[in-house]
Amino acid sequence: MIEQLSRYVPVFDWGRTYNRSTFSNDMIAALIVTIMLIPQSLAYALLAGLPPEAGIYASIVPIVLYAIFGTSRALAVGPVAVVSLLTASAVGQVAEQGTAGYAVAALTLAFLSGGFLVLLGVLRLGFLANFLSHPVIAGFITASGILIATSQLKHIMGVSASGHTLPEMVASIFEHLGEINFITVVIGVLATAFLFWVRKGLKPLLKSMGASPLIADIATKAGPVAAVVVTTLSVWLFGLNGAGVKIVGDVPQGLPPLTLPSFSPDILGALLVPAILISVIGFVESVSVAQTLAAKKRQRIDPDQELIGLGAANIGAAFTGGYPVTGGFSRSVVNYDAGAETPAAGAYTAVGLSIAAVGLTPLVYFLPNATLAATIIVAVLSLVDFSILKKTWNYSKKDFAAVAVTILLTLGMGVEVGVATGVLVSVLLHLYKTSRPHVAEVGLVPGTQHFRNIHRHSVETNDTLLNLRVDESLYFANARFLEDYIQKRVTNGTLIKNVVLMFPAINDVDYSALESLEAINSRLRDMGIGLHLSEVKGPVMDRLDRSHFLDDLNGRVFLSQYDAWRAFNPV
């Protein structure tokens, strides 16, 4: 019973072996992650256009729900930069920022996203994420990082710029240059420089001074907290808010409230597509991080159960004042490096954030928005990776074109168009590649029973025998390509009397491909050419047996390609 239950509620799996040592490691990891998440959660709520407390709320109940239903031992769930930007873009289309309707729309977006993820998980459709090209996703995330960093410049400069695309943002910033608050600029620039230095230079400095790795790690992760404390005290002591420095202001003190998303058909309809796009991007990012961290400890995750875990987290956010969440790269790596052994570390982090929500929120009243903007900029610039352009250019021009188009459209037309383009381009790229399967004409390697491409190796051939190795499963998108290939090869005065199709790489033949094979067989018969198959896999042969194709085949099916060669080249 427990075994069956643990498949759907993984806490019953790892919870059975939980001990004092695991508890100690999880608590240390939770402490480090909590210190990191307090300023980060406030900052990401700002990015999403929501009150700062929404970031804290979105980091409490969702973490607990993921700990119960998720399968990754190290994944840390909560608000992340890209999803926060997508939330701002989607919700901004149905409600004005700062209104109650905006917050309700964010809850609704989380609810729709969670419901969609759970549905995919129940239907065990986690494999669909494999259809998204990772270079394309990397291009989208790079462009999103640029958009996010640019969107925060208004807070660093103290101006009221707006816009959803890079040209709009840049133009708006230039229009409002006259509003620059130089005190805000000083705070923002110094905070950004400090956070960059903390990320790169503090840990080596502390280690050189004899600090233990744990202390150095905690101090590095606490860098944003230090920036928050110093800038908040500065604003309070010198009354800088009276000089035009924009601050966070009142943050409600208490645990996440019970909230309800909207069930208005108009709002649900307007947010459905953005919710699906957010779910897809969030799931791909989350699973990629989870699989990478799991592999380091020879563990495994279940993508379908991950869908349910992330879906439950988002539904939890919808009913507790949050907004869409997913597994974050930076916080998950921190969680892993800090020694987290089970998802319980996330639950302990939720407790730490609950304490912060109850007791620490009054302390951030004078926190300048410029400091939160600096936190976001430093975090998202690590996502920007233009090397993907060089790598794809060198490896595949088609992948490069897909990445470049995704980046340009994301920057020029906004994140929703960018992510939709990324998904569409990924699918089209897959279809294009599989619609033109690699078909190699092969010959016998002298002195062996092996067959290789005649254009790459010195092999024996026969002018009357055409040996073709098809290196892709045959389905509706590529079957006609094989038809055309064979038709061209056997015409124009060739001496070919027999065609042998090698099937070692073919795992499936759908009905459209079966009809193409029947058409090939019929045409070759009319031309007096025999059609033969070799090295057909068992499941494929079983399926062909259920049709009339083998009965109508005007040739033979050979166990091996060498048998076919011997049949038409007797010694």
Side-chain angles (χ1 to χ4, degrees), residues 29-80:
L31 173 63
I32 295 174
V33 174
T34 300
I35 291 171
M36 172 188 174
L37 285 190
I38 292 174
Q40 194 179 80
S41 298
L42 297 172
Y44 287 154
L46 179 73
L47 175 60
L50 292 163
E53 65 270 16
I56 297 288
Y57 297 161
S59 300
I60 296 177
V61 172
I63 295 179
V64 176
L65 289 172
Y66 179 81
I68 295 172
F69 295 103
T71 59
S72 172
R73 302 293 181 96
L75 191 70
V77 171
V80 299

Side-chain angles (χ1 to χ4, degrees), residues 16 113 119-120 167 173 213 215 224 235 243 247 266 317 323 330 343 363 423 433 438 443 452 506 524 527 530 561:
R16 287 180 293 170
S113 179
L119 178 63
L120 290 182
I173 288 172
I215 296 298
V235 172
I247 59 175
D266 291 339
Y323 66 98
S330 58
L363 302 179
V423 173
K433 289 178 179 177
H438 181 255
R452 294 292 184 267
I506 294 182
L524 292 181
M527 299 170 68
Q561 180 60 24

